Amino acid sequence: MNTTTNSKLKKIVLTALFAALSCVATMSIKLPTPGTGGYIHPGDAMVILSGIVLGPWWGLLAGGIGSAMADLLGGYFVYVPITFVIKALVAVCAGLLYQKVGHTSRSRYAAVILGGIADIILVAGGYCFCEYFFLYGSGAFASVPANLIQGLGGLIISAVLYPILMAVPDVRQTANAVNE
């Protein structure tokens, strides 16, 4: 197997792994949000990290598919397309920020934080926008505080997990190759 094929296979496997991690992290720990029927979860951290490790475009697939799959399996059918788009955008933003800002070890860590901030904005704003225009009208604003907390959790967890993931040689190699 040549180097290009091996690299592409590694990226496909890591994309599937991050999609599964996004799904499991979303479904495994659920803190219900009163009055909204939704829940806070650590899945956003995996979405942020998928954009960082895999790059914006492979991260889009991992974060979008994994998060949408969690909604599908969890019975939140109406949210599947909304979640796919919002989480895909989070992964793209996190990946692009990492590529543009992360030139040194310190700036790479700052880029992870910026990816978390993008997550907070896109999740709270994206769900509010979609719920307002497509589902609940002004009732959509009730979910904003919970989505802000969820985004903050994603930022914190991704900042904690980032150095651990970068200690794994294959993950670090993929991230470095994507972001060169």
Side-chain angles (χ1 to χ4, degrees):
M1 193 182 282
N2 66 34
T3 308
T4 305
T5 305
N6 190 22
S7 175
K8 185 105 167 179
L9 179 61
K10 215 182 262 189
K11 186 158 295 185
I12 291 168
V13 169
L14 279 172
T15 301
L17 177 65
F18 271 94
L21 287 170
S22 296
C23 181
V24 169
T26 300
M27 295 183 75
S28 63
I29 301 171
K30 295 182 186 182
L31 302 171
T33 54
T36 66
Y39 57 95
I40 298 169
H41 57 79
D44 284 19
M46 292 298 110
V47 174
I48 295 164
L49 292 169
S50 70
I52 288 166
V53 171
L54 301 169
W57 312 117
W58 288 93
L60 173 151
L61 292 172
I65 291 170
S67 298
M69 186 63 74
D71 279 352
L72 182 67
L73 294 172
Y76 294 89
F77 305 116
V78 71
Y79 280 97
V80 171
I82 295 168
T83 294
F84 178 83
V85 170
I86 292 169
K87 301 304 174 133
L89 287 172
V90 168
V92 167
C93 287
L96 288 173
L97 285 164
Y98 192 80
Q99 286 178 348
K100 298 294 181 200
V101 176
H103 302 295
T104 66
S105 62
R106 176 173 269 186
S107 67
R108 283 190 287 272
Y109 197 75
V112 174
I113 302 298
L114 289 173
I117 292 169
D119 175 68
I120 293 168
I121 294 166
L122 288 168
V123 167
Y127 280 105
C128 185
F129 176 86
C130 291
E131 289 172 345
Y132 182 83
F133 287 104
F134 304 119
L135 298 172
Y136 309 122
S138 62
F141 295 104
S143 68
V144 171
N147 284 330
L148 289 171
I149 293 168
Q150 177 179 310
L152 181 61
L155 184 156
I156 293 167
I157 295 168
S158 62
V160 169
L161 290 179
Y162 172 75
I164 296 167
L165 277 175
M166 290 301 121
V168 177
D170 281 342
V171 173
R172 183 178 57 249
Q173 181 184 13
T174 300
N176 289 340
V178 164
N179 296 304
E180 287 181 341

